[in-house]
Amino acid sequence: MTGTGAATEASALAAADRIIDDFGNHRRDAYFAGFSPDATFLFHNVDHRLESRAAYERLWSEWEDEGFRVHRCLSKNRRVQVYGDVAVFSHDVETEAELGGVTEVTHERETIVLAQTAGRWLGVHEHLSAMD
């Protein structure tokens, strides 16, 4: 893309990068601030769709009660596609996280759909699937 399109693509990518960086550094509040309150989430390791950011925040808190902590997150094979006020960001993600005293590295694929609201890109849907 050129001109405004490239700038829009860059700003959508920057929003996705902030979400990934906040997640990878376990900055809980900043991570969730990157999503709209009505965002939905589909994770391969959760048996139902999370219907809102608040639902995901509750689940995250339950995980933290069990010792959940993200140590790092590496994004590879990245692509952003912009369609007006909507952007689709997809990538391969390697995450090192701890749960119950056990640290594990996972390899997954993720799509984050972003929508521009009041000049700011916010995640409105996240889908995480197992890569292995």
Side-chain angles (χ1 to χ4, degrees):
M1 289 187 165
T2 59
T4 304
T8 301
E9 186 175 311
S11 66
L13 184 58
D17 281 340
R18 278 190 301 278
I19 289 170
I20 294 162
D21 188 59
D22 289 333
F23 177 81
N25 288 286
H26 202 94
R27 292 189 294 259
R28 181 186 198 271
D29 292 342
Y31 169 66
F32 283 110
F35 290 95
S36 173
D38 62 352
T40 55
F41 304 85
L42 282 173
F43 302 135
H44 65 93
N45 58 342
V46 176
D47 67 356
H48 61 283
R49 180 179 48 240
L50 300 168
E51 299 289 349
S52 67
R53 183 179 72 196
Y56 183 17
E57 288 180 273
R58 284 190 298 275
L59 181 60
W60 181 288
S61 291
E62 291 173 19
W63 291 340
E64 284 182 323
D65 289 345
E66 297 171 13
F68 175 66
R69 179 88 184 156
V70 181
H71 295 293
R72 70 175 174 82
C73 185
L74 176 63
S75 174
K76 300 183 283 187
N77 193 25
R78 302 151 53 83
R79 182 173 184 195
V80 64
Q81 300 163 271
V82 177
Y83 304 97
D85 289 340
V86 174
V88 178
F89 172 77
S90 57
H91 65 146
D92 299 335
V93 61
E94 179 182 294
T95 303
E96 181 181 320
E98 182 177 343
L99 183 61
V102 176
T103 299
E104 184 177 338
V105 175
T106 57
H107 297 90
E108 298 158 313
R109 288 193 175 105
E110 180 178 52
T111 300
I112 302 172
V113 179
L114 302 149
Q116 203 167 42
T117 306
R120 180 173 177 228
W121 290 103
L122 290 176
V124 294
H125 180 73
E126 179 180 353
H127 186 119
L128 187 67
S129 58
M131 186 181 257
D132 300 332

